[in-house]
Structures are given as structure tokens and as C-alpha cells.
Amino acid sequence: RSPRKVFMLPRNHRLARESLTILFRDGRRVFGDHFSLIVIKSSRETSSQWAFVTSKKVFRNATDRNRGKRLMRESIRALLPNIAPGTKAIMLFSRKPGEPFKFMSAQHEIESLLHKAHLLNSSAPSQMTHSSLSTPHVLERRASSPNKHNVF
């Protein structure tokens, strides 16, 4: 049996539940086409911390909500070395895409959202290369899916 891959952020990059209320109340909001970001910068923290939220209003099916969170998590994981330390953020999948949503388009939109929020180091090169996308196969929906109207 092959070892199971874990598709999660490292523990030091995960945001604790207690911080969610503070972020929703005091955080600065940045909006994109499909994603929203709520951010607080802290000078005390040494690493960035993230939470990912997808509402039932956006995606009714749990599998679609989970895939949306995987898209966001993998995009952030690829960009973690270039994100400013001390960032606490919640990323929300705020608008349902009208067409099938691919990993590369999500990655591109999330990277532009991070630039808009001034969270990426300015000297960092763009991470939009195929070498940084180590797990896109996990994010693609199976072709034999019984539900035909999914946007994923």
C-alpha cells in the first residue's frame, strides 16, 4: 500500500477557530470575482495562518464545497513561501462559477487577490508554473460523476 498523501496546510499555517470571530469583525475585506479574502496583519506572528470557508448558499452539495476548499487550500499552499509572515486570513468561495472551474483559473484568481491585498512579497516571482502544482489531479472531478449540473 502506498503512503497516503495529506492535502492540508502545515499546522502552523492553520488558523484557530477562536481567531475567526476577530477576523470577521475586524478584518479588512478584499473581493475578487469568485473569492473573497478577510485579512489582518500581525507583526507578532512568524508565519501566515489561513482558514477556508465555502457556504451552502454558494454550493449546495458537500462534495462541491469540499472541492472548493481544496482548490483554495492548494493554491495558498503553493504560494506560502511568498506570502508575508504575520498574515491571518480567511478565504471565502463567495460566488459560484458559471462554467467548470479549473485549478489553474482558481490559482490565477487567488494570486491576483493576494496581490490586491498586498500579501505577496514584491520580489517573489509568480508561482503560476506547472512545477508548483504538485497535486492538480486530486482537484479534478471524475468524469463519471452522476450529477450533470455541477459547475465543478
Side-chain angles (χ1 to χ4, degrees), residues 21-39:
T21 325
I22 297 166
L23 268 167
F24 274 114
R25 186 184 64 218
D26 301 332
R28 184 172 61 101
R29 295 171 190 267
V30 181
F31 299 97
D33 291 336
H34 299 99
F35 302 100
S36 300
L37 191 62
I38 304 173
V39 180

Side-chain angles (χ1 to χ4, degrees), residues 6-146:
V6 178
F7 300 106
M8 297 178 71
L9 288 178
R11 188 175 296 272
N12 63 328
H13 288 289
R14 292 184 224 157
L15 191 62
R17 282 190 189 263
E18 300 80 43
S19 303
L20 292 177
T21 325
I22 297 166
L23 268 167
F24 274 114
R25 186 184 64 218
D26 301 332
R28 184 172 61 101
R29 295 171 190 267
V30 181
F31 299 97
D33 291 336
H34 299 99
F35 302 100
S36 300
L37 191 62
I38 304 173
V39 180
I40 290 180
K41 288 188 179 181
S42 169
S43 58
R44 296 177 295 188
E45 300 292 329
T46 57
S47 63
S48 60
Q49 295 179 329
W50 295 85
F52 303 97
V53 177
T54 303
S55 166
K56 278 188 181 180
K57 287 183 180 181
V58 177
F59 295 111
R60 295 294 300 162
N61 293 342
T63 54
D64 291 339
R65 288 194 302 275
N66 291 338
R67 183 170 184 278
K69 287 188 263 189
R70 276 198 315 272
L71 282 170
M72 293 186 287
R73 193 169 41 242
E74 283 301 305
S75 297
I76 292 298
R77 190 183 62 79
L79 294 166
L80 269 179
N82 301 326
I83 295 175
T87 302
K88 289 188 176 191
I90 300 172
M91 180 156 296
L92 299 121
F93 210 127
S94 56
R95 192 168 298 126
K96 188 175 190 170
E99 58 190 41
F101 209 53
K102 300 292 182 189
F103 179 71
M104 289 302 290
S105 58
Q107 172 88 13
H108 178 72
E109 186 177 335
I110 288 172
E111 186 173 7
S112 65
L113 192 64
L114 293 176
H115 275 294
K116 191 175 175 181
H118 306 290
L119 295 180
L120 288 180
N121 296 332
S122 58
S123 63
S126 175
Q127 291 293 311
M128 299 291 291
T129 63
H130 289 288
S131 62
S132 68
L133 308 176
S134 59
T135 58
H137 64 278
V138 171
L139 303 172
E140 297 301 325
R141 181 168 212 109
R142 292 182 197 161
S144 64
S145 174

